[in-house]
Amino acid sequence: MNNEMIAGFTATTHQDAIPHTERKKQVAQPAVQLPEILFITSYPPRECGIATYSQDLIKALRDQFDQSFSLRICALEAGQMNYEYPEDVKFTLDTHDPAQYRALAASINKDPQIQSVLIQHEFGFFHQAGEDVFLQFLYSLSKPVVVVFHTVLPNPNDNLRTHTRSIATASDALIVMTANAANILREHYGVAGNKIEVIPHGTHLVPHLDKNELKEKYGIAGRKVLSTFGLLSSGKSIETTLDALPAIVSQHPEVVFLVIGKTHPGVVKVEGERYRDMLKARVQEMGLEQHIRFVNRYLSLEELLEYLQLTDIYLFTSKDPHQAVSGTFSYAMSCGCPIVSTPIPHAKEMLSNDNSILIDFEHSKQLAEAVNRLLGDEHLRTEFSNNILQRIVPTAWENSAIAHAMLMSEIGLKHATGTSFPLQFRIPDFNLAHLKKMTTPTGIIQFCKINQPDLSSGYTLDDNARAMIATCMYYELHKKSEGLEMLRTYLDFVGYCQQPDGRFLNYVDENGAFTPQNNETNLEDANGRAIWALGYVISRGALLPADITSKAEQTMQRAFTSLQHIHSTRAMAFIIKGLYYCNLYKESQQYTHLVDVLAARMAAMYHNESDADWNWYEPYLTYANAVLPEAMLCAWVATGKMEYRQVARSSFDFLHRHIFTENGIRAISNKSWMKKGEEPEWHGEQPIDIAYAALALFTFFQVFRSHEYADKLKTAFNWFLGQNHLRHILYNPCTGGCFDGLEATHVNLNQGAESTVSYLLARCTMEKYERLYGK
């Protein structure tokens, strides 16, 4: 048997809708025309919260689904605004001109590329032309339509109720951002619940930079920072905070309050800078010049997020009790800011006693008390920050994009047109930033607190062996020195863990000392992983510098004599894989013989436990399950013994029946495992199990060339990108790390070595597959 089988979119003052692209060069089209989703929304450079919202959502959708559909924009304008839009703006619409609504509808209906329409709705956008004009526009569209309500008012009068219900009737679906808004639509407007989708306001994943370094950068080192941001207007009630500042400063003289953002353009048109000037005069009267700064600019996203990351307490003091959602509030949450807020519905839904303090509207005394409490208790601020991150990360733009994409795809099937599009996740570019951050000259640190390496957790052979394989795979694909440098570090760590008798210890503390845990834990699996890693590196000897290959070979030779005494099922499987890989570089009868010995043991275990309903090696499915049938397949390729082939396929098919569903893949729960004859519990899924499944699927595809394995490989990788039971990302594109686990209701936000390396293993495997066999 040959071992090499396994390797390798204005309506202007004219009556007709004039496509924006006739005034600008045509947008470059992909080779294959993708179905279009047309966003009808305000859009930058218009300065408007909904414009920014749409820009962020569109970017997230493109980043994740650029091969599923194209996104074009109809930019809403209040009169002739003459903005210079980006090329993806296909139409513009003067919302004051009724004729342009008719022209726009005609253009949409006759455009065969437009598959569906997504409308960002705020009543202020469409009231000038009249309520009936917007409704007539909706009813005239022949394409599937989704309307996003940014405001849902409770206790509507008859006119508002009728108008809103008419919008709902004309739409295929409605999106709101809070459960409270959905409840109001159902109970106050009588909208059917099955037409309403709750998709929270998106938020940005942030790298959580060092707060003190950011304060130094912005000239506020040593200060305790309170902040608020957004387009300024009297509705933000900044004076509530000003009136509270004296009581705050008296206890915390280092406080500075940042009021971030320009005055709202709509306010400037009506009253100029009257509100800001009033606030500045008040600051002078109160003698607070050293404790407040006005950042009177429209900040870039990067700068805004840095201001929020340096914030110690975020203040939200809206006067409007019916403000359904605040994007500014959401952004502050994404940066882990402890929050003091007035009780708008969004705040009451998202915040709780363990992550924030709610105060009454325009109540300066309560605000001062809340701020002083938090400033005086650093532990409480840290606890609030961690809890708020856990609450907000599910609303990341990446997750919002998944929810929007799935909804837009589903409504196409339900609409009279009966058209839809398959969703294809885009494979992210490589980002080794988090792996580098976790790697010291000693090796890769075991755990992280969120995305900050926890050096006190020390190092393990397990993590460094897996990292060795991942960086070797990365170097094999990209030939970049960064991969080689980290590979050397991990190989050195593996060598350091080897003892004089050839065996390996697993646990090393932050100072490089072996810990007592090595004497309390069975180390066979860790030893098996080391052999797998060494074998993989050796198998790439033709690509790697000689010193790396030589060191790996010497370490393998010293370990070999102890391997035949190992009986742990997974350890034997890892060893079989490692020795199999060694033989790809330089065939050894010794290695082949031991592969046969270990595979025979595993086959015997399989036959002992297997029956008509249970085709497995043990009376339970636990962790790293896919490694077992993969190892048996390697043993067949190495020895030619058909028994190993039969056991490999039978056990792999059995595993698939339990972990693959019509919606994707689910890992065996690490909470209770799956026991023979018992109904399993689910959730508690670990990235490492998905990575091992991906590796095994690639191996089985290489041998059998079955498209079922290729399709399941893509499904397994997509688990990291959001094709899982929560529809949440596990891979963090901001840091390059991977969240530690998928629970029943949430994602574990820590990004430790095991999960991050597991993602990288699966990512490299997908690239190897596409390079060898295409998409």
Side-chain angles (χ1 to χ4, degrees), residues 207-208 432-440 445 451-453 735:
H208 302 290
L432 300 184
H434 191 61
L435 190 72
K436 293 176 182 177
K437 186 176 182 178
M438 294 192 68
T439 301
T440 72
I445 298 168
N451 70 323
Q452 300 303 314
T735 65

Side-chain angles (χ1 to χ4, degrees), residues 42-234:
S42 58
Y43 203 68
R46 181 175 178 177
E47 294 177 353
C48 161
I50 293 177
T52 303
Y53 169 93
S54 293
Q55 183 181 50
D56 288 339
L57 175 57
I58 287 168
K59 180 182 184 301
L61 283 163
R62 285 177 174 154
D63 284 348
Q64 290 179 272
F65 300 104
D66 65 342
Q67 297 302 307
S68 301
F69 43 74
S70 65
L71 301 172
R72 304 296 293 277
I73 296 117
C74 170
L76 299 177
E77 297 184 342
Q80 293 301 299
M81 305 180 83
N82 297 315
Y83 289 123
E84 283 294 321
Y85 290 110
E87 294 177 357
D88 50 1
V89 174
K90 185 172 185 174
F91 305 101
T92 60
L93 173 66
D94 178 358
T95 58
H96 294 183
D97 184 353
Q100 292 196 25
Y101 289 84
R102 295 190 293 272
L104 175 60
S107 295
I108 293 172
N109 290 338
K110 72 181 182 182
D111 189 328
Q113 204 61 33
I114 298 175
Q115 191 261 329
S116 56
V117 180
L118 183 71
I119 302 175
Q120 303 294 336
H121 181 277
E122 183 62 72
F123 288 100
F125 281 163
F126 306 109
H127 76 283
Q128 286 286 343
E131 297 176 354
D132 291 343
V133 172
F134 179 65
L135 281 176
Q136 289 168 2
F137 168 73
L138 285 179
Y139 278 100
S140 65
L141 292 174
S142 61
K143 308 292 176 77
V145 176
V146 174
V147 173
V148 183
F149 277 125
H150 286 258
T151 298
V152 181
L153 297 173
N155 305 310
N157 59 32
D158 290 343
N159 285 340
L160 179 57
R161 181 183 296 105
T162 299
H163 180 66
T164 302
R165 291 183 66 172
S166 295
I167 293 175
T169 300
S171 306
D172 293 87
L174 302 176
I175 294 175
V176 293
M177 299 180 197
T178 66
N180 179 70
N183 187 56
I184 291 172
L185 280 178
R186 288 190 300 266
E187 296 190 1
H188 295 221
Y189 292 85
V191 176
N194 62 3
K195 211 166 198 177
I196 305 168
E197 191 80 16
V198 178
I199 304 178
H201 191 296
T203 56
H204 292 277
L205 295 169
V206 299
H208 302 290
L209 303 173
D210 184 88
K211 193 182 294 287
N212 292 325
E213 290 180 6
L214 289 175
K215 288 181 179 181
E216 183 80 33
K217 175 179 177 179
Y218 288 98
I220 47 179
R223 307 293 295 270
K224 284 289 186 287
V225 180
L226 315 178
S227 75
T228 193
F229 90 94
L231 295 172
L232 191 62
S233 71
S234 60

Side-chain angles (χ1 to χ4, degrees), residues 403-418:
H404 279 84
M406 292 182 65
L407 178 62
M408 299 305 291
S409 180
E410 290 168 3
I411 65 161
L413 290 174
K414 297 176 182 177
H415 192 266
T417 59

Side-chain angles (χ1 to χ4, degrees), residues 64 402 425-426 428 717-723 729 731 759:
Q64 290 179 272
I402 294 168
F425 286 88
R426 174 184 173 273
F717 182 69
N718 287 344
W719 181 91
F720 291 96
L721 308 183
Q723 190 179 344
I729 56 168
Y731 170 65
Y759 168 78

Side-chain angles (χ1 to χ4, degrees), residues 182-407:
N183 187 56
I184 291 172
L185 280 178
R186 288 190 300 266
E187 296 190 1
H188 295 221
Y189 292 85
V191 176
N194 62 3
K195 211 166 198 177
I196 305 168
E197 191 80 16
V198 178
I199 304 178
H201 191 296
T203 56
H204 292 277
L205 295 169
V206 299
H208 302 290
L209 303 173
D210 184 88
K211 193 182 294 287
N212 292 325
E213 290 180 6
L214 289 175
K215 288 181 179 181
E216 183 80 33
K217 175 179 177 179
Y218 288 98
I220 47 179
R223 307 293 295 270
K224 284 289 186 287
V225 180
L226 315 178
S227 75
T228 193
F229 90 94
L231 295 172
L232 191 62
S233 71
S234 60
K236 290 189 176 293
S237 193
I238 303 301
E239 58 271 26
T240 299
T241 302
L242 295 188
D243 291 343
L245 273 178
I248 296 170
V249 170
S250 67
Q251 293 189 31
H252 303 280
E254 73 277 19
V255 157
V256 60
F257 175 41
L258 307 181
V259 181
I260 304 168
K262 295 175 62 176
T263 301
H264 195 290
V267 172
V268 172
K269 283 184 179 180
V270 175
E271 62 180 47
E273 293 286 356
R274 186 170 65 190
Y275 182 63
R276 186 184 297 273
D277 292 342
M278 180 275 290
L279 293 173
K280 289 182 175 180
R282 197 158 176 174
V283 168
Q284 279 190 311
E285 291 170 7
M286 300 173 74
L288 293 171
E289 295 94 330
Q290 300 304 311
H291 299 282
I292 185 167
R293 294 187 186 182
F294 291 89
V295 184
N296 189 8
R297 293 186 288 114
Y298 194 83
L299 303 182
S300 69
L301 176 62
E302 180 180 4
E303 192 174 8
L304 171 61
L305 293 176
E306 288 188 346
Y307 268 112
L308 292 173
Q309 287 176 79
L310 63 80
T311 293
D312 292 287
I313 303 173
Y314 185 79
L315 305 178
F316 184 82
T317 53
S318 170
K319 288 180 178 180
D320 182 5
H322 300 310
Q323 181 176 348
V325 176
S326 168
T328 64
F329 171 86
S330 298
Y331 280 33
M333 290 183 71
S334 73
C335 292
C337 299
I339 294 176
V340 175
S341 174
T342 49
I344 67 169
H346 192 189
K348 290 192 289 186
E349 187 166 313
M350 294 296 293
L351 301 180
S352 58
N353 291 334
D354 68 352
N355 59 30
S356 63
I357 300 174
L358 296 183
I359 61 171
D360 293 333
F361 293 97
E362 302 181 78
H363 205 305
S364 297
K365 183 175 183 293
Q366 288 182 2
L367 189 148
E369 291 171 348
V371 169
N372 282 332
R373 177 189 170 198
L374 285 168
L375 289 179
D377 191 337
E378 183 176 0
H379 175 77
L380 183 61
R381 293 201 310 277
T382 300
E383 182 180 338
F384 274 23
S385 179
N386 291 336
N387 291 339
I388 215 163
L389 283 172
Q390 187 67 68
R391 186 72 178 88
I392 200 65
V393 163
T395 70
W397 281 114
E398 290 78 4
N399 295 331
S400 180
I402 294 168
H404 279 84
M406 292 182 65
L407 178 62

